[in-house]
Amino acid sequence: MPMKGRFPIRRTLEYLHKGDIIFKNRVKIMTVNYNTHGELSDGARKFVFFNIPQIQYKNPWVQIMMFKNMTPSPFVKFYLDDGEQVLVDVEGKDHKQISQHVKKILGKSEEVLKAEAQAKMQASNPANFGPKKYCLRECICEVEGQMPCPGTKPLPKEMTGKYRTQMAASQE
């Protein structure tokens, strides 16, 4: 992708991965109301310009809408899954203050993010075997290239211990 336009760094994967706001599962819609002119909406404009791409990347299930020049004072409104609405006043705030405040009230905490990452790693590890409820595979025989279970398909004679002891006894 050519690096053209205003701040093309915003469109790189490295920049998008650096976003630290991951919303709780309750958040369904986020709206940002701001003005394109005026000092009071400066932080909201920068928030939309710099932080919204990262939020969209990290929260693909959240619908994000921007409304320009429809209100005298800028604000961010969140619609939750139970019908509740959360209104955040961003008038006169810096875009970093806005992102910190949004993360504090509706973002997942570091402990929750670590626990989710750990659970995801444990569930996706192909070396784990056990009940389907906890692991991807119940038995090693489900892995491509492994021997089938002796309970479902008998092993070749050369691989059974009984055959090996008989062969060792006959050679002596």
Side-chain angles (χ1 to χ4, degrees):
M1 174 182 241
M3 298 294 269
K4 293 183 179 179
R6 283 183 41 191
F7 291 94
I9 193 74
R10 293 181 308 144
R11 295 186 293 273
T12 62
L13 275 177
E14 181 181 350
Y15 180 78
L16 295 175
H17 279 292
K18 287 184 180 178
D20 59 347
I21 299 176
I22 299 177
F23 290 133
K24 295 177 183 175
N25 297 334
R26 299 176 50 200
V27 178
K28 297 301 175 196
I29 302 171
M30 172 186 174
T31 62
V32 183
N33 293 279
Y34 67 100
N35 296 317
T36 54
H37 302 290
E39 225 174 278
L40 295 176
S41 292
D42 192 40
R45 277 194 302 274
K46 287 184 179 178
F47 177 74
V48 167
F49 191 76
F50 291 111
N51 297 96
I52 290 293
Q54 293 174 333
I55 292 172
Q56 283 179 325
Y57 184 78
K58 292 282 190 168
N59 304 286
W61 65 88
V62 176
Q63 180 182 355
I64 300 176
M65 307 256 323
M66 270 75 72
F67 297 109
K68 297 179 188 174
N69 301 322
M70 294 180 67
T71 179
S73 62
F75 61 90
V76 179
K77 196 172 204 177
F78 296 93
Y79 298 88
L80 307 182
D81 59 358
D82 58 356
E84 187 180 347
Q85 298 177 10
V86 178
L87 183 67
V88 178
D89 182 28
V90 296
E91 186 174 353
K93 290 185 180 178
D94 185 21
H95 72 98
K96 292 178 182 175
Q97 292 173 333
I98 296 169
S99 62
Q100 287 173 352
H101 185 68
V102 166
K103 182 180 179 183
K104 182 179 173 184
I105 60 171
L106 287 170
K108 290 183 181 177
S109 66
E110 294 296 325
E111 296 85 29
V112 172
L113 291 174
K114 285 180 183 177
E116 285 179 355
Q118 184 69 23
K120 186 177 178 184
M121 295 252 319
Q122 285 180 346
S124 65
N125 189 347
N128 292 341
F129 298 98
K132 288 279 188 192
K133 185 171 151 183
Y134 303 111
C135 303
L136 294 174
R137 298 182 179 94
E138 289 185 351
C139 183
I140 187 73
C141 69
E142 295 175 12
V143 178
E144 188 78 25
Q146 297 295 323
M147 290 294 293
C149 283
T152 58
K153 185 177 176 189
L155 288 173
K157 284 193 301 183
E158 298 82 27
M159 298 186 95
T160 61
K162 191 176 194 179
Y163 180 78
R164 286 184 182 178
T165 56
Q166 287 176 353
M167 292 302 292
S170 65
Q171 286 180 356
E172 288 177 0

